[in-house]
Amino acid sequence: MTRQQLIELIDALTPALEVHRERVLRTRRGHERLVAPGTGAKAKLTPAERILATVLHLRKLATMDLIGQLFGVTAMTISRAKQEVHPLLETHGHHINTSTARLLTPADIARSLASGPTQTKVKKTSQKSARPYTRTLRRPRSST
């Protein structure tokens, strides 16, 4: 994925992400806002950071813990961001391909960045063929 493609993806998803966040906040409050937007607790990640963290995780480049370290948040925050952004990616017809690289430590990231830029292919799917996001549950391993 080129920088320009990432910028276009962020520009396309940010408005929908903001609408989704406002809807979640309204549901949590149980009524419309009583004060102006922008007051109250700030989100730990900007919409652009949420989208970037989701793309990194969907590419399976790094664990949520490592991505959280990069953004200065917990793995749970990265998980929540992915839960919000992934359905929007599917809805807008974007499929992120899995990478063959695996980065496990900050040192791995430094080596990867030093080796040079790589391109990520983003497959744009049609609205009709986009599958809804479903989570696959794994069976617990038996200890026998």
Side-chain angles (χ1 to χ4, degrees):
M1 174 182 286
T2 65
R3 187 174 294 216
Q4 184 60 35
Q5 288 173 325
L6 180 61
I7 290 169
E8 290 170 2
L9 181 64
I10 290 169
D11 289 342
L13 294 181
T14 297
L17 197 56
E18 291 292 337
V19 167
H20 174 74
R21 185 176 194 290
E22 193 60 38
R23 189 174 341 147
V24 167
L25 291 174
R26 185 193 184 291
T27 302
R28 191 180 306 155
R29 283 189 305 264
H31 54 78
E32 293 296 328
R33 287 183 167 275
L34 299 177
V35 293
T39 58
K42 304 293 183 230
K44 292 184 178 174
L45 295 173
T46 66
E49 290 171 337
R50 288 174 177 274
I51 294 166
L52 178 58
T54 301
V55 169
L56 291 174
H57 190 261
L58 289 175
R59 293 223 51 222
K60 299 186 190 260
L61 283 170
T63 63
M64 286 188 186
D65 286 326
L66 182 57
I67 296 170
Q69 287 178 19
L70 293 173
F71 287 99
V73 296
T74 64
M76 182 58 74
T77 302
I78 300 299
S79 177
R80 279 190 224 110
K82 182 184 170 210
Q83 288 175 353
E84 291 176 7
V85 175
H86 191 199
L88 291 175
L89 283 168
E90 294 289 330
T91 301
H92 284 81
H94 294 282
H95 175 74
I96 308 297
N97 294 326
T98 304
S99 174
T100 56
R102 297 293 179 266
L103 307 174
L104 302 175
T105 65
D108 292 342
I109 293 172
R111 271 193 303 279
S112 175
L113 293 174
S115 69
T118 58
Q119 297 284 321
T120 300
K121 294 182 179 177
V122 176
K123 193 185 296 182
K124 178 92 172 170
T125 58
S126 69
Q127 292 290 345
K128 291 180 183 177
S129 67
R131 295 178 302 193
Y133 173 67
T134 57
R135 184 173 181 178
T136 305
L137 299 176
R138 294 183 183 168
R139 290 185 179 171
R141 294 182 186 176
S142 61
S143 59
T144 57

